[in-house]
Amino acid sequence: TFIVNTAKTVDIPAGNQMQGGILHSTQKSLVYLKSVNYGRTYSVGLYYGSGGSRFAHATTTTPKQVTTTATNSQEINNDALKTSTVINSLRAIVNANNVDAVFPSTHHDEPYFVIDANHSTYDIKVTDDDGGVNLKAFKGTAKSFTDLPNQCEDGFVLGVVGDNQKKEDDFYVKFEGVGGSGFWRECSAPNINNGIAATTMPHQLIQNADQSFTFQPVTWDDRKCGDNNTNPFPSFLGSKITDIFFHRNRLGILSGENVIFSEAGSYYNFFRTTVRSLLDSDPIDVAVSQNEVSDLKAALPIQDNLLLFSALN
C-alpha cells in the first residue's frame, strides 16, 4: 500500500549530496593515437581558456622510412613505430611542461593518456602529418559516437554533441573496461543530481510474514542517462502529489495538472532508459488538455480506461 502526503513537496536530496551522479573532473582530457606512419610529426598543445596563450606543448617525430639495398642496409627500431612509443613520448614531454598531473595508461603500452591539468578552463589541440585523422584529443565532448576511441581510461565520460544547433540529440557515454580494453556505455551527464529525495515521495506500508506492518520510504530509481534537457525530472519535482494509482502495468502519479506514468513494468522508474531512441515503455508525463487551470485530484482506472477528476466545475 502506498501512503501519500499531499502536503509534501517533492524535492531532490538535500545539501550537496549528488545522488546517482557521476563524479568526473571537467579538467580531464584524453589524447588517443589511432596509428603511426614513417616520418610523421605529432604534437599536443594546451591553451589557457578558449583561444588563450599556450602553456604546454609536446611534439615528437617518427623515423623516416629507410630504403634497403644490397650495398646499403639500415634498420629502424620497430618500437619507434609503435603507437604506445609515440604516445608515451608525448606524455612525458607534456608532463615535463609543468602540467600538474598526467596519468599514463594502465600498462604503459596503450595508445592513449589522460591529462588532468590544474586549470578551470583550458583547450587542447592536437595535430599530425596525416591530416589529423590519427592523433585525436577529447575534452568534454566528441562530435559523433564513431569518433570515440576503442581504448580509454575506465570511467572516462564524454558527451556526444551530434548537431551543434540543438541539444535534443546530445547524449553521454562512459568507458567501462580494464587495461584500455572495453566499451562505451550510455550514462547520465557528469556532476548533476540524478536522484529524487525518497523522504519527500510516497512511502510504502508493507505487511510482513508475521502479520506486522513496516512503514518505509521507497527506493526510487535514479536517472541513468541524459541530462536535464534530454531526460528531465518528472513534472512532480517541486510540486505536491495528490494521488497515486496503478494503470496498465505502470505506476501513475497526479501532480498539479499533470498525470505521470512510470516506465512500463518498472514502477519505481520515472526516467527514460536511453535518450538515443524513444521507446514504447518510456515514462509518460502529460498535462490535461484544458484551457482553464484544472488541478487533478483523483484517478480511477476502469479496465483499459482512466478517469481523472479535478476541482474544475
Side-chain angles (χ1 to χ4, degrees):
T1 302
F2 284 96
I3 308 297
V4 180
N5 184 349
T6 58
K8 194 74 172 179
T9 299
V10 179
D11 201 358
I12 60 176
N16 295 323
Q17 180 184 1
M18 193 177 68
Q19 182 170 328
I22 298 174
L23 288 172
H24 186 74
S25 172
T26 57
Q27 302 167 338
K28 279 190 174 184
S29 55
L30 171 71
V31 179
Y32 172 78
L33 183 59
K34 183 178 180 181
S35 63
V36 176
N37 288 317
Y38 291 99
R40 300 293 194 269
T41 298
Y42 305 89
S43 65
V44 177
L46 303 179
Y47 300 80
Y48 292 108
S50 179
S53 59
R54 189 172 66 191
F55 65 87
H57 181 249
T59 182
T60 186
T61 302
T62 55
K64 294 181 178 180
Q65 188 172 11
V66 174
T67 302
T68 302
T69 65
T71 59
N72 182 19
S73 178
Q74 299 182 28
E75 293 182 357
I76 291 180
N77 184 356
N78 290 331
D79 288 342
L81 292 176
K82 289 182 177 180
T83 54
S84 58
T85 300
V86 176
I87 208 73
N88 275 318
S89 175
L90 291 171
R91 178 192 62 81
I93 299 172
V94 171
N95 198 32
N97 280 199
N98 295 321
V99 175
D100 291 316
V102 178
F103 299 106
S105 57
T106 306
H107 301 295
H108 302 274
D109 58 355
E110 292 148 2
Y112 71 90
F113 64 89
V114 176
I115 299 175
D116 196 354
N118 189 24
H119 298 284
S120 57
T121 58
Y122 73 92
D123 279 351
I124 181 168
K125 297 178 182 179
V126 296
T127 60
D128 62 54
D129 290 342
D130 295 309
V133 299
N134 286 325
L135 187 62
K136 300 286 187 179
F138 303 91
K139 182 178 182 292
T141 60
K143 291 182 180 179
S144 68
F145 187 77
T146 55
D147 287 338
L148 298 176
N150 56 16
Q151 297 187 59
C152 187
E153 177 192 54
D154 181 60
F156 196 88
V157 179
L158 286 172
V160 181
V161 296
D163 188 343
N164 290 328
Q165 303 302 318
K166 57 183 180 180
K167 296 183 178 180
E168 290 80 5
D169 61 346
D170 294 359
F171 62 97
Y172 298 84
V173 289
K174 179 177 69 171
F175 191 83
E176 297 182 1
V178 179
S181 177
F183 58 92
W184 295 92
R185 184 192 297 273
E186 188 176 2
C187 67
S188 63
N191 307 328
I192 64 172
N193 198 313
N194 294 318
I196 302 172
T199 55
T200 64
M201 288 285 286
H203 285 39
Q204 286 179 330
L205 185 64
I206 301 174
Q207 185 177 13
N208 303 311
D210 60 356
Q211 304 304 312
S212 64
F213 290 88
T214 300
F215 182 67
Q216 64 185 29
V218 180
T219 303
W220 304 94
D221 292 351
D222 292 339
R223 173 171 49 195
K224 295 179 175 62
C225 64
D227 55 24
N228 292 328
N229 292 312
T230 59
N231 195 8
F233 280 98
S235 59
F236 56 68
L237 185 73
S239 301
K240 297 179 176 62
I241 294 175
T242 55
D243 197 12
I244 190 168
F245 57 94
F246 282 101
H247 183 57
R248 303 190 67 173
N249 201 30
R250 296 175 185 263
L251 180 66
I253 286 178
L254 297 186
S255 178
E257 294 185 284
N258 285 62
V259 54
I260 305 100
F261 291 101
S262 70
E263 179 189 5
S266 185
Y267 307 130
Y268 302 148
N269 179 38
F270 287 90
F271 296 102
R272 294 171 61 181
T273 55
T274 175
V275 298
R276 302 191 65 185
S277 58
L278 186 61
L279 307 178
D280 292 339
S281 59
D282 280 345
I284 301 171
D285 193 338
V286 293
V288 295
S289 180
Q290 174 69 30
N291 292 330
E292 301 180 52
V293 176
S294 52
D295 290 336
L296 300 174
K297 299 301 182 181
L300 179 62
I302 304 176
Q303 296 181 352
D304 288 341
N305 299 314
L306 180 65
L307 186 61
L308 302 177
F309 297 88
S310 75
L312 183 67
N313 294 324

mmCIF file of all heavy atoms in Angstrom, residues 11 22 27 42 45 48 58 69 93 137 157 165 178 185 197-198 236 259 265 267 278 281 285 288 291 297-298 308 311:
data_model
loop_
_atom_site.group_PDB
_atom_site.id
_atom_site.type_symbol
_atom_site.label_atom_id
_atom_site.label_comp_id
_atom_site.label_asym_id
_atom_site.label_seq_id
_atom_site.Cartn_x
_atom_site.Cartn_y
_atom_site.Cartn_z
ATOM 1 N N ASP A 11 11.219 16.775 -3.738
ATOM 2 C CA ASP A 11 12.472 17.512 -3.870
ATOM 3 C C ASP A 11 13.603 16.550 -4.213
ATOM 4 O O ASP A 11 13.448 15.329 -4.174
ATOM 5 C CB ASP A 11 12.777 18.237 -2.556
ATOM 6 C CG ASP A 11 13.751 19.402 -2.744
ATOM 7 O OD1 ASP A 11 14.210 19.626 -3.887
ATOM 8 O OD2 ASP A 11 14.051 20.071 -1.743
ATOM 9 N N ILE A 22 27.528 11.017 -11.581
ATOM 10 C CA ILE A 22 28.870 10.563 -11.915
ATOM 11 C C ILE A 22 29.842 11.693 -11.585
ATOM 12 O O ILE A 22 29.790 12.765 -12.183
ATOM 13 C CB ILE A 22 28.987 10.203 -13.410
ATOM 14 C CG1 ILE A 22 28.043 9.056 -13.758
ATOM 15 C CG2 ILE A 22 30.413 9.829 -13.768
ATOM 16 C CD1 ILE A 22 28.001 8.745 -15.230
ATOM 17 N N GLN A 27 38.233 18.943 -15.971
ATOM 18 C CA GLN A 27 39.558 19.332 -16.443
ATOM 19 C C GLN A 27 40.247 18.200 -17.200
ATOM 20 O O GLN A 27 41.322 18.395 -17.756
ATOM 21 C CB GLN A 27 40.420 19.752 -15.255
ATOM 22 C CG GLN A 27 39.825 20.897 -14.446
ATOM 23 C CD GLN A 27 40.544 21.070 -13.118
ATOM 24 O OE1 GLN A 27 41.181 20.151 -12.628
ATOM 25 N NE2 GLN A 27 40.439 22.247 -12.549
ATOM 26 N N TYR A 42 53.870 14.484 -34.620
ATOM 27 C CA TYR A 42 52.649 14.522 -33.827
ATOM 28 C C TYR A 42 52.848 15.519 -32.695
ATOM 29 O O TYR A 42 53.907 15.537 -32.057
ATOM 30 C CB TYR A 42 52.343 13.126 -33.246
ATOM 31 C CG TYR A 42 52.273 12.047 -34.305
ATOM 32 C CD1 TYR A 42 53.420 11.347 -34.693
ATOM 33 C CD2 TYR A 42 51.074 11.736 -34.929
ATOM 34 C CE1 TYR A 42 53.364 10.365 -35.669
ATOM 35 C CE2 TYR A 42 51.002 10.753 -35.901
ATOM 36 C CZ TYR A 42 52.153 10.070 -36.267
ATOM 37 O OH TYR A 42 52.095 9.099 -37.248
ATOM 38 N N GLY A 45 49.046 20.479 -27.770
ATOM 39 C CA GLY A 45 49.163 21.801 -27.166
ATOM 40 C C GLY A 45 48.025 22.073 -26.204
ATOM 41 O O GLY A 45 46.867 21.739 -26.486
ATOM 42 N N TYR A 48 45.372 28.291 -22.388
ATOM 43 C CA TYR A 48 44.524 28.896 -21.371
ATOM 44 C C TYR A 48 43.184 29.280 -21.991
ATOM 45 O O TYR A 48 43.129 30.005 -22.987
ATOM 46 C CB TYR A 48 45.170 30.154 -20.791
ATOM 47 C CG TYR A 48 46.412 29.908 -19.967
ATOM 48 C CD1 TYR A 48 47.667 30.252 -20.442
ATOM 49 C CD2 TYR A 48 46.315 29.347 -18.700
ATOM 50 C CE1 TYR A 48 48.809 30.029 -19.680
ATOM 51 C CE2 TYR A 48 47.448 29.124 -17.926
ATOM 52 C CZ TYR A 48 48.691 29.474 -18.422
ATOM 53 O OH TYR A 48 49.810 29.251 -17.678
ATOM 54 N N ALA A 58 53.908 19.626 -26.635
ATOM 55 C CA ALA A 58 54.734 18.438 -26.832
ATOM 56 C C ALA A 58 54.692 18.050 -28.305
ATOM 57 O O ALA A 58 53.645 18.132 -28.944
ATOM 58 C CB ALA A 58 54.228 17.275 -25.979
ATOM 59 N N THR A 69 69.162 -1.525 -49.689
ATOM 60 C CA THR A 69 69.732 -2.031 -50.945
ATOM 61 C C THR A 69 70.819 -3.036 -50.617
ATOM 62 O O THR A 69 71.160 -3.267 -49.457
ATOM 63 C CB THR A 69 70.325 -0.867 -51.770
ATOM 64 O OG1 THR A 69 71.436 -0.303 -51.042
ATOM 65 C CG2 THR A 69 69.287 0.210 -52.027
ATOM 66 N N ILE A 93 56.696 14.519 -22.397
ATOM 67 C CA ILE A 93 57.008 15.929 -22.682
ATOM 68 C C ILE A 93 55.964 16.848 -22.067
ATOM 69 O O ILE A 93 56.282 17.888 -21.484
ATOM 70 C CB ILE A 93 57.129 16.150 -24.197
ATOM 71 C CG1 ILE A 93 58.267 15.306 -24.776
ATOM 72 C CG2 ILE A 93 57.373 17.625 -24.506
ATOM 73 C CD1 ILE A 93 58.335 15.321 -26.291
ATOM 74 N N ALA A 137 42.166 14.284 -29.772
ATOM 75 C CA ALA A 137 42.042 14.758 -28.396
ATOM 76 C C ALA A 137 40.565 14.955 -28.068
ATOM 77 O O ALA A 137 39.810 15.489 -28.889
ATOM 78 C CB ALA A 137 42.805 16.061 -28.193
ATOM 79 N N VAL A 157 34.262 9.975 -19.054
ATOM 80 C CA VAL A 157 32.938 10.371 -19.543
ATOM 81 C C VAL A 157 33.073 11.426 -20.628
ATOM 82 O O VAL A 157 33.848 12.374 -20.495
ATOM 83 C CB VAL A 157 32.069 10.919 -18.396
ATOM 84 C CG1 VAL A 157 30.703 11.362 -18.915
ATOM 85 C CG2 VAL A 157 31.900 9.862 -17.318
ATOM 86 N N GLN A 165 23.387 22.662 -33.383
ATOM 87 C CA GLN A 165 22.312 23.637 -33.338
ATOM 88 C C GLN A 165 21.191 23.251 -32.385
ATOM 89 O O GLN A 165 20.300 24.050 -32.119
ATOM 90 C CB GLN A 165 21.743 23.823 -34.756
ATOM 91 C CG GLN A 165 22.770 24.249 -35.789
ATOM 92 C CD GLN A 165 23.474 25.538 -35.427
ATOM 93 O OE1 GLN A 165 22.836 26.484 -34.960
ATOM 94 N NE2 GLN A 165 24.785 25.589 -35.625
ATOM 95 N N VAL A 178 39.003 -2.501 -18.463
ATOM 96 C CA VAL A 178 40.240 -2.632 -17.700
ATOM 97 C C VAL A 178 41.389 -2.772 -18.679
ATOM 98 O O VAL A 178 41.300 -3.499 -19.671
ATOM 99 C CB VAL A 178 40.190 -3.861 -16.757
ATOM 100 C CG1 VAL A 178 41.498 -3.995 -15.995
ATOM 101 C CG2 VAL A 178 39.023 -3.735 -15.789
ATOM 102 N N ARG A 185 29.394 2.951 -22.684
ATOM 103 C CA ARG A 185 28.016 2.719 -22.280
ATOM 104 C C ARG A 185 27.329 4.063 -22.051
ATOM 105 O O ARG A 185 27.914 4.971 -21.447
ATOM 106 C CB ARG A 185 27.958 1.885 -21.002
ATOM 107 C CG ARG A 185 26.536 1.516 -20.569
ATOM 108 C CD ARG A 185 26.530 0.942 -19.154
ATOM 109 N NE ARG A 185 27.287 -0.292 -19.055
ATOM 110 C CZ ARG A 185 26.771 -1.494 -19.304
ATOM 111 N NH1 ARG A 185 25.515 -1.612 -19.690
ATOM 112 N NH2 ARG A 185 27.524 -2.569 -19.180
ATOM 113 N N ALA A 197 14.551 12.769 -3.710
ATOM 114 C CA ALA A 197 14.589 12.512 -2.269
ATOM 115 C C ALA A 197 13.438 11.601 -1.884
ATOM 116 O O ALA A 197 12.265 11.977 -1.971
ATOM 117 C CB ALA A 197 14.527 13.825 -1.501
ATOM 118 N N ALA A 198 13.783 10.394 -1.445
ATOM 119 C CA ALA A 198 12.753 9.409 -1.099
ATOM 120 C C ALA A 198 11.884 9.879 0.065
ATOM 121 O O ALA A 198 10.714 9.498 0.173
ATOM 122 C CB ALA A 198 13.412 8.076 -0.759
ATOM 123 N N PHE A 236 6.426 16.214 -11.328
ATOM 124 C CA PHE A 236 6.037 16.339 -9.912
ATOM 125 C C PHE A 236 7.181 16.839 -9.035
ATOM 126 O O PHE A 236 6.968 17.157 -7.865
ATOM 127 C CB PHE A 236 5.459 15.031 -9.359
ATOM 128 C CG PHE A 236 6.357 13.820 -9.487
ATOM 129 C CD1 PHE A 236 7.535 13.704 -8.765
ATOM 130 C CD2 PHE A 236 6.005 12.771 -10.324
ATOM 131 C CE1 PHE A 236 8.345 12.585 -8.860
ATOM 132 C CE2 PHE A 236 6.810 11.637 -10.433
ATOM 133 C CZ PHE A 236 7.988 11.550 -9.696
ATOM 134 N N VAL A 259 -0.470 14.190 -15.284
ATOM 135 C CA VAL A 259 -0.515 12.786 -14.903
ATOM 136 C C VAL A 259 0.789 12.169 -15.380
ATOM 137 O O VAL A 259 1.181 12.329 -16.544
ATOM 138 C CB VAL A 259 -1.746 12.069 -15.494
ATOM 139 C CG1 VAL A 259 -1.841 12.241 -16.999
ATOM 140 C CG2 VAL A 259 -1.723 10.586 -15.127
ATOM 141 N N GLY A 265 6.236 -1.682 -16.513
ATOM 142 C CA GLY A 265 6.827 -2.826 -15.832
ATOM 143 C C GLY A 265 7.909 -2.473 -14.841
ATOM 144 O O GLY A 265 8.444 -3.362 -14.163
ATOM 145 N N TYR A 267 7.995 0.055 -11.900
ATOM 146 C CA TYR A 267 7.128 1.017 -11.228
ATOM 147 C C TYR A 267 7.866 2.148 -10.522
ATOM 148 O O TYR A 267 7.272 3.180 -10.231
ATOM 149 C CB TYR A 267 6.251 0.265 -10.217
ATOM 150 C CG TYR A 267 5.488 -0.890 -10.810
ATOM 151 C CD1 TYR A 267 5.526 -2.151 -10.213
ATOM 152 C CD2 TYR A 267 4.750 -0.733 -11.975
ATOM 153 C CE1 TYR A 267 4.827 -3.223 -10.759
ATOM 154 C CE2 TYR A 267 4.059 -1.791 -12.536
ATOM 155 C CZ TYR A 267 4.105 -3.032 -11.930
ATOM 156 O OH TYR A 267 3.429 -4.085 -12.480
ATOM 157 N N LEU A 278 13.309 6.714 -28.685
ATOM 158 C CA LEU A 278 12.105 6.803 -27.866
ATOM 159 C C LEU A 278 11.438 5.439 -27.840
ATOM 160 O O LEU A 278 11.036 4.907 -28.880
ATOM 161 C CB LEU A 278 11.156 7.858 -28.434
ATOM 162 C CG LEU A 278 9.912 8.182 -27.604
ATOM 163 C CD1 LEU A 278 10.311 8.720 -26.240
ATOM 164 C CD2 LEU A 278 9.019 9.168 -28.336
ATOM 165 N N SER A 281 8.019 1.778 -23.909
ATOM 166 C CA SER A 281 7.947 1.547 -22.463
ATOM 167 C C SER A 281 8.391 2.758 -21.646
ATOM 168 O O SER A 281 8.356 2.710 -20.410
ATOM 169 C CB SER A 281 8.818 0.344 -22.093
ATOM 170 O OG SER A 281 10.170 0.566 -22.485
ATOM 171 N N ASP A 285 4.529 11.671 -19.296
ATOM 172 C CA ASP A 285 4.279 12.845 -18.454
ATOM 173 C C ASP A 285 3.509 13.856 -19.297
ATOM 174 O O ASP A 285 4.079 14.541 -20.142
ATOM 175 C CB ASP A 285 5.610 13.430 -17.964
ATOM 176 C CG ASP A 285 5.424 14.451 -16.839
ATOM 177 O OD1 ASP A 285 4.328 15.009 -16.718
ATOM 178 O OD2 ASP A 285 6.395 14.668 -16.090
ATOM 179 N N VAL A 288 -3.283 17.803 -18.719
ATOM 180 C CA VAL A 288 -4.649 17.681 -19.230
ATOM 181 C C VAL A 288 -4.887 18.718 -20.318
ATOM 182 O O VAL A 288 -4.338 19.821 -20.286
ATOM 183 C CB VAL A 288 -5.677 17.853 -18.097
ATOM 184 C CG1 VAL A 288 -5.562 16.721 -17.101
ATOM 185 C CG2 VAL A 288 -5.492 19.201 -17.409
ATOM 186 N N ASN A 291 -8.302 24.472 -21.374
ATOM 187 C CA ASN A 291 -7.900 25.879 -21.443
ATOM 188 C C ASN A 291 -7.818 26.527 -20.067
ATOM 189 O O ASN A 291 -7.049 27.452 -19.854
ATOM 190 C CB ASN A 291 -8.882 26.661 -22.324
ATOM 191 C CG ASN A 291 -8.794 26.246 -23.787
ATOM 192 O OD1 ASN A 291 -7.733 25.836 -24.257
ATOM 193 N ND2 ASN A 291 -9.915 26.360 -24.500
ATOM 194 N N LYS A 297 -7.226 15.825 -8.961
ATOM 195 C CA LYS A 297 -7.387 15.443 -7.553
ATOM 196 C C LYS A 297 -7.396 13.935 -7.348
ATOM 197 O O LYS A 297 -6.954 13.449 -6.313
ATOM 198 C CB LYS A 297 -8.682 16.043 -6.999
ATOM 199 C CG LYS A 297 -8.736 17.562 -7.041
ATOM 200 C CD LYS A 297 -7.596 18.189 -6.238
ATOM 201 C CE LYS A 297 -7.692 19.712 -6.249
ATOM 202 N NZ LYS A 297 -6.575 20.337 -5.492
ATOM 203 N N ALA A 298 -7.902 13.188 -8.313
ATOM 204 C CA ALA A 298 -8.015 11.740 -8.130
ATOM 205 C C ALA A 298 -8.059 11.054 -9.486
ATOM 206 O O ALA A 298 -8.395 11.664 -10.507
ATOM 207 C CB ALA A 298 -9.268 11.392 -7.321
ATOM 208 N N LEU A 308 -10.059 10.725 -14.776
ATOM 209 C CA LEU A 308 -9.374 11.707 -13.939
ATOM 210 C C LEU A 308 -10.377 12.723 -13.422
ATOM 211 O O LEU A 308 -11.254 13.175 -14.171
ATOM 212 C CB LEU A 308 -8.275 12.412 -14.730
ATOM 213 C CG LEU A 308 -7.189 11.530 -15.333
ATOM 214 C CD1 LEU A 308 -6.207 12.356 -16.161
ATOM 215 C CD2 LEU A 308 -6.444 10.768 -14.242
ATOM 216 N N ALA A 311 -10.964 19.703 -9.628
ATOM 217 C CA ALA A 311 -11.878 20.552 -8.884
ATOM 218 C C ALA A 311 -12.621 21.518 -9.805
ATOM 219 O O ALA A 311 -13.474 22.266 -9.361
ATOM 220 C CB ALA A 311 -11.114 21.340 -7.818
#
